[in-house]
Amino acid sequence: MRDYVRAHAYVDGFNLLQGVRKNSGPRFVNVRTLATIVSQQAENVKMWLGMRCAVGRVCYYDTEPDAEHAENAETVQYLDALDRLPDCHVRRGFLRHASKSPRRQQKGVDVLLAVDMLEDAHRGLMDVAMLFSGDGDFAPVVEAVGQYGPRVVVIAYSESLANELRLVADVTVELDKLGITVPELKLV
């Protein structure tokens, strides 16, 4: 019998970084360290789990930025740096031009995250899924994961935490109310 629960973290990169920047956090976040801090510092998580939470795999989901823009070079470095962290994996969607718009839109990222989370739950690879996103589009996958047994902790900033997620998550953690410093990942 283990004296800990196994957790995997699933990070919606765009959603998390948007919240971090709005709250004067670092430009680049060490998501592995952040997942560990949340699992250890969030009182509602500790009380709810009743035992130590060991964060295993951390998956970060985002798109590969356009290489042709110089300001994106640091973002590429960031994604590469995340990929080098222990048991941290970067999963990339793609960019596509929206109809009637010159802007390119992120595609495939949310689906990648949902599929990975559901497959890991189905395989019994975790006891707890930590979802770093406030996007209400994830509510159906949070419900589905729970049917396989793992509990789901949703971690987001208050202003971006959709009510749909609050209703289906086992526990929610509002990063802006946690009283922690979001860890920075230094690029080398």
Side-chain angles (χ1 to χ4, degrees):
M1 179 86 165
R2 288 177 293 160
D3 63 343
Y4 65 93
V5 293
R6 300 165 302 161
H8 284 187
Y10 303 87
V11 182
D12 177 352
F14 180 79
N15 191 278
L16 175 67
L17 291 183
Q18 201 172 37
V20 168
R21 290 174 185 153
K22 282 183 183 175
N23 287 275
S24 304
R27 180 156 182 226
F28 300 116
V29 176
N30 185 326
V31 293
R32 165 149 287 295
T33 302
L34 179 61
T36 301
I37 290 170
V38 169
S39 73
Q40 295 171 352
Q41 299 293 323
E43 286 301 321
N44 57 344
V45 173
K46 290 192 304 189
M47 287 179 9
W48 170 67
L49 292 174
M51 61 179 66
R52 187 171 65 82
C53 181
V55 178
R57 196 170 91 171
V58 175
C59 293
Y60 184 90
Y61 301 83
D62 210 338
T63 55
E64 189 78 42
D66 288 331
E68 66 229 27
H69 299 297
E71 67 269 11
N72 290 334
E74 276 190 321
T75 302
V76 172
Q77 281 184 295
Y78 174 58
L79 296 176
D80 290 344
L82 285 175
D83 241 348
R84 288 190 300 271
L85 292 175
D87 214 4
C88 190
H89 309 277
V90 175
R91 304 271 284 142
R92 293 167 172 89
F94 56 94
L95 293 171
R96 181 171 66 193
H97 284 287
S99 60
K100 301 179 185 177
S101 171
R103 281 190 55 217
R104 291 164 46 112
Q105 292 181 328
Q106 188 182 72
K107 293 291 176 190
V109 174
D110 291 356
V111 173
L112 276 172
L113 188 155
V115 168
D116 285 352
M117 199 164 135
L118 201 52
E119 283 182 347
D120 290 351
H122 178 71
R123 291 181 186 145
L125 299 177
M126 62 187 167
D127 304 306
V128 175
M130 300 174 72
L131 173 62
F132 283 82
S133 181
D135 187 342
D137 288 348
F138 289 117
V141 77
V142 167
E143 283 186 300
V145 164
Q147 292 175 3
Y148 285 110
R151 295 179 175 169
V152 182
V153 178
V154 172
I155 303 111
Y157 283 91
S158 311
E159 69 271 6
S160 70
L161 184 53
N163 282 332
E164 298 89 349
L165 274 179
R166 284 183 197 275
L167 293 172
V168 296
D170 292 299
V171 174
T172 58
V173 175
E174 295 176 19
L175 281 171
D176 45 320
K177 296 179 180 173
L178 194 53
I180 63 166
T181 300
V182 174
E184 182 175 11
L185 182 62
K186 302 281 188 194
L187 303 182
V188 288

